[in-house]
């Protein structure tokens, strides 16, 4: 009988022997009960090791999970990197800037003939900026409400209110945007501006 | 023996192994990686992986057999 192969069994059990050694060990195992018993114990130990640390999930479970995760990833919109304005925010910022410009122009001391009450939009429960556009005759010198011009119809400001008369205390304009969590409040302090030909503010 | 008990036993066995042997055993036998891949991951030669894994297997078997025997003797 060939020499015992107990030392080689840990390599044999996982196929780490080269072909010739492997066949030699197998040949001996066929003849040696002692080594055969040891080989079976080692095999069982390895199976036990794997079973004990095996995941309860089958490959099908893993595949299903992977597909679900990928579907969810594709369904969600890509996160916007911080610091980059979305088109919505850009419009809002531009509209607000235009409004401020218009307001400061409006509040500057001007000849009485061109005094026009500031654009007051009617308070409406579900107002949009569209009413401002429907009253062009009421405010000939008043530039169009920037929000109406700048904002697309899909993104109206719901309400703009001028709460104070011009030229007195700082004007305060509040408007609720389409996003219920965003409300814009502008305070503008009138300052004398050099007398210039009033012109429409820059469109955003 | 319950699965939970087996897990505990096996984990105990793994902690008794030196780091290299444990890594070789886990990657090779539990994760199913080839000897070459395991060697590449651990930055050693394949022959080292083979001998470390073999040593680990023998130790785990001896550890478990000893514990089971001890438990069997008590109960």
């Amino acid at each position: 009988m060939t020499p015992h192969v107990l030392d080689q069994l840990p390599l044999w059990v996982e196929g780490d022997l080269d072909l010739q050694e492997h066949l030699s060990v197998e040949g001996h195992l066929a003849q040696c009960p002692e080594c055969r018993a040891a080989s079976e114990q080692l095999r069982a130990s390895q199976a036990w090791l794997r079973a004990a640390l095996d995941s309860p999930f089958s490959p099908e479970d893993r595949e299903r999970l992977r597909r679900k995760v990928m579907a969810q990833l594709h369904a969600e919109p890509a996160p916007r990197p911080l610091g980059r304005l979305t088109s919505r925010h850009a419009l809002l910022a531009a509209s607000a800037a235009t409004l401020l410009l218009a307001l400061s122009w409006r509040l500057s001391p001007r000849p009485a003939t061109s005094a026009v009450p500031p654009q007051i939009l009617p308070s409406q429960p579900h107002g949009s900026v569209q009413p401002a556009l429907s009253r062009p005759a009421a405010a000939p010198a008043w530039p169009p409400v920037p929000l109406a011009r700048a904002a697309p119809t899909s993104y109206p400001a719901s309400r703009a209110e001028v709460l104070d008369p011009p030229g007195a205390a700082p004007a305060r304009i509040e408007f609720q945007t389409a996003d219920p969590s965003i409300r814009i409040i502008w305070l503008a302090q009138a300052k004398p501006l050099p007398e210039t030909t009033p012109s429409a503010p820059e469109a955003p | 023996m319950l699965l939970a008990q087996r897990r505990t036993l096996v984990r105990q066995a793994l902690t008794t192994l030196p780091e290299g042997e444990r890594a070789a055993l886990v990657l090779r036998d539990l994760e199913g990686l080839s000897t070459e891949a395991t060697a590449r991951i651990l930055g050693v030669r394949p022959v080292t992986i083979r001998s470390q894994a073999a040593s680990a297997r023998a130790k785990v078997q001896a550890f478990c057999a000893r514990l089971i025997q001890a438990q069997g003797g008590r109960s």
Side-chain angles (χ1 to χ4, degrees):
Chain A
M1 191 167 69
T2 48
H4 292 300
V5 295
L6 294 174
D7 291 341
Q8 293 173 283
L9 287 179
L11 287 166
W12 165 86
V13 73
E14 295 295 337
D16 281 343
L17 293 172
D18 64 32
L19 185 59
Q20 195 176 357
E21 288 171 332
H22 189 90
L23 290 173
S24 169
V25 166
E26 299 249 322
H28 177 84
L29 289 178
Q31 299 170 13
C32 176
E34 182 187 338
C35 289
R36 195 160 56 242
S39 75
E40 280 159 13
Q41 277 179 359
L42 188 55
R43 258 211 192 125
S45 167
Q46 286 294 103
W48 221 49
L49 178 72
R50 289 192 170 94
L53 293 181
D54 208 4
S55 161
F57 297 115
S58 68
E60 290 79 23
D61 293 327
R62 284 185 218 267
E63 179 58 29
R64 199 161 52 232
L65 177 66
R66 190 192 69 82
R67 268 191 258 117
K68 272 187 158 180
V69 168
M70 294 313 294
Q72 182 72 18
L73 278 177
H74 289 135
E76 285 175 7
R80 300 197 181 278
L82 288 177
R84 185 169 71 90
L85 285 178
T86 62
S87 59
R88 194 167 120 150
H89 291 144
L91 271 171
L92 188 61
S95 310
T98 310
L99 190 63
L100 185 61
L101 273 173
L103 184 67
S104 59
W105 170 77
R106 180 73 197 110
L107 294 176
S108 66
R110 300 180 40 193
T113 50
S114 61
V116 171
Q119 186 74 290
I120 298 178
L121 299 180
S123 305
Q124 293 176 359
H126 302 290
S128 73
V129 82
Q130 303 308 322
L133 287 176
S134 69
R135 298 170 40 186
W142 180 257
V145 176
L147 279 171
R149 202 166 56 182
T153 51
S154 63
Y155 182 74
S158 61
R159 192 186 329 196
E161 300 159 1
V162 179
L163 302 177
D164 293 316
R172 175 192 171 95
I173 293 185
E174 292 191 36
F175 54 89
Q176 179 68 45
T177 66
D179 186 337
S181 65
I182 300 178
R183 186 174 179 83
I184 310 280
I185 301 174
W186 283 97
L187 299 170
Q189 177 73 47
K191 270 174 65 175
L193 291 178
E195 284 294 332
T196 54
T197 311
S199 58
E202 292 295 321
Chain B
M1 189 183 280
L2 293 175
L3 183 62
Q5 284 174 308
R6 271 199 238 169
R7 281 183 196 261
T8 308
L9 184 62
V10 164
R11 289 200 170 109
Q12 274 179 350
L14 288 175
T15 58
T16 67
L17 295 174
E19 197 176 312
E21 289 182 9
R22 184 167 62 227
L25 181 71
V26 167
L27 290 179
R28 181 84 182 77
D29 293 0
L30 297 177
E31 293 295 326
L33 299 175
S34 68
T35 304
E36 290 73 25
T38 305
R40 205 165 40 237
I41 290 169
L42 297 179
V44 295
R45 290 177 301 154
V47 65
T48 309
I49 294 296
R50 269 192 283 270
S51 73
Q52 282 185 325
S55 175
R57 288 167 198 144
K59 285 181 186 171
V60 166
Q61 191 217 346
F63 181 92
C64 295
R66 201 165 51 236
L67 266 194
I68 293 170
Q69 204 177 26
Q71 283 187 348
R74 273 201 303 272
S75 64

